[in-house]
Amino acid sequence: MDLLRHLRHFVAVARELHFGRAADTLGMAQPPLSQSIRRLERELGTALFDRSQRQVRLTTAGQLLLGEADDLLAGERRLRHLADQVRRGTLGVLRVGVPPETPAVTVRALLDGLAARAPGLDLDLHELTSAEQRRMLAEGRLDVGLLHHPVEEAGLRFGKPVDVPVGALLPRTSPLARARAVALADLAGLDLVTAPPATAPGWHAHLLTVCRQHGFVPPRVRPARNPEFLFGLLLAGGAVAVEPAALARREPRIAWRPLVGAPLARRISAVWPDRTAHPAAPMVGRLAAEVLAAAETPAGPAFVAPSARPWPVLFEAGRDGKLSP
């Protein structure tokens, strides 16, 4: 027995006290409505309407049931609304990973954007390297990650990517910092400070390859997990880092200079599991692309179209959003 359906029929008749008008309200014929009420009465073992006179009236049992039925049907509506919110990804818990070097303004923009678009969503934010995010996505311990490419694509879906130009980070006292732009070959003899290869293996390998192709083979590659340690190594002299301009804004003694010919660009995008995607994942992917692009081009468009990008593209996105060299 579909109790809730029969209760909806009962409430309609109880409000109208007329089977014909109630049937019109429900958009059904009167005979099936009468049958539904009789079945409910049989199920409950009591009469709900007094049909002894020409006017339909509620019995005492019907009067008592009406209040309870209203509560049950209101609860059903709340439950359906709750399930719909979960299905659309606007309610529940969303586990998101962001790289450790993500600027504070970018983190806040992501949080504000999610709060505006899905106020019922409980965000569980984690500071994780690309390698850690990739592993946790595969293990089902993370719903969405912001990863540096290239990334192994198996079992993943990608949001719209954003290309971030990188340049040389140098002490302001360095002679190289006096130039408007720096060629990679000009960095010869300097150590390269960058994140450990385990944090983003694909980017680390690509960075060294491009440096070597352009005449920069660093004597040593020195790992730095956090910006403060990276700045300390640079300020000590004899080293350079190749990073986005946003990183240099944290330390006034460090200058950022673009690379001649723009041979490098860092690509980042939201990534989530293909088969077990959180309902909110595509929305987070769109928001992340907007926020990341705005952070890099504050005076320009929210996203630079592929044909108009002023820096090289390392990996192109296909129609399905996956990336290829």
Side-chain angles (χ1 to χ4, degrees):
M1 177 183 178
D2 187 349
L3 178 61
L4 291 175
R5 180 171 64 88
H6 292 301
L7 286 177
R8 282 192 290 271
H9 294 168
F10 162 73
V11 170
V13 177
R15 297 286 185 229
E16 297 289 345
L17 293 178
H18 191 283
F19 278 84
R21 289 195 298 269
D24 291 339
T25 300
L26 293 168
M28 61 187 299
Q30 182 175 336
L33 176 60
S34 299
Q35 294 171 9
S36 177
I37 297 300
R38 286 196 294 269
R39 183 172 181 182
L40 179 62
E41 290 175 324
R42 288 197 303 269
E43 184 71 22
L44 297 177
T46 185
L48 301 175
F49 294 98
D50 183 358
R51 304 175 180 84
S52 60
Q53 301 181 15
R54 298 184 59 165
Q55 183 179 2
V56 176
R57 293 186 299 176
L58 283 168
T59 63
T60 300
Q63 293 173 358
L64 293 174
L65 178 62
L66 182 58
E68 296 293 333
D70 282 336
D71 290 342
L72 282 171
L73 293 175
E76 182 208 18
R77 289 191 293 271
R78 289 193 298 270
L79 182 61
R80 290 183 181 277
H81 178 65
L82 182 67
D84 182 61
Q85 287 181 296
V86 173
R87 185 173 62 254
R88 291 186 289 109
T90 58
L91 191 69
V93 178
L94 180 70
R95 301 164 298 177
V96 179
V98 297
E101 71 276 7
T102 305
V105 291
T106 302
V107 173
R108 177 170 181 177
L110 284 169
L111 293 173
D112 289 347
L114 284 171
R117 300 186 187 193
L121 197 60
D122 183 9
L123 186 64
D124 186 13
L125 198 63
H126 298 268
E127 184 185 39
L128 300 164
T129 66
S130 290
E132 291 170 334
Q133 292 183 55
R134 182 68 181 88
R135 183 173 64 253
M136 291 178 67
L137 286 166
E139 295 172 352
R141 295 189 292 132
L142 198 66
D143 297 310
V144 184
L146 298 184
L147 273 68
H148 296 301
H149 294 272
V151 181
E152 181 187 349
E153 299 180 7
L156 295 178
R157 299 182 68 180
F158 295 81
K160 181 182 288 186
V162 174
D163 294 308
V164 181
V166 296
L169 265 61
L170 298 155
R172 291 193 177 275
T173 55
S174 170
L176 292 173
R178 299 171 190 167
R180 289 179 175 267
V182 177
L184 281 173
D186 296 336
L187 304 177
L190 297 176
D191 291 344
L192 177 64
V193 182
T194 188
T199 62
W203 167 253
H204 189 274
H206 183 77
L207 171 63
L208 296 183
T209 298
V210 174
C211 286
R212 183 173 61 253
Q213 291 173 345
H214 287 77
F216 173 39
V217 181
R220 287 192 298 171
V221 178
R222 307 175 70 175
R225 290 183 175 274
N226 64 76
E228 292 302 318
F229 186 64
L230 181 146
F231 294 147
L233 293 178
L234 295 181
L235 292 172
V240 64
V242 178
E243 298 287 344
L247 190 60
R249 300 185 194 122
R250 304 187 188 185
E251 173 53 67
R253 293 170 293 177
I254 295 295
W256 183 86
R257 295 294 179 264
L259 298 176
V260 174
L264 283 164
R266 180 175 286 181
R267 169 161 283 192
I268 184 171
S269 70
V271 180
W272 58 91
D274 189 10
R275 296 181 179 274
T276 58
H278 190 286
M283 179 268 291
V284 175
R286 293 189 295 271
L287 174 63
E290 295 170 9
V291 169
L292 293 170
E296 295 304 319
T297 56
F303 181 73
V304 180
S307 60
R309 291 181 186 134
W311 52 84
V313 177
L314 301 183
F315 307 91
E316 282 293 345
R319 292 184 179 178
D320 60 355
K322 292 188 176 182
L323 305 179
S324 59

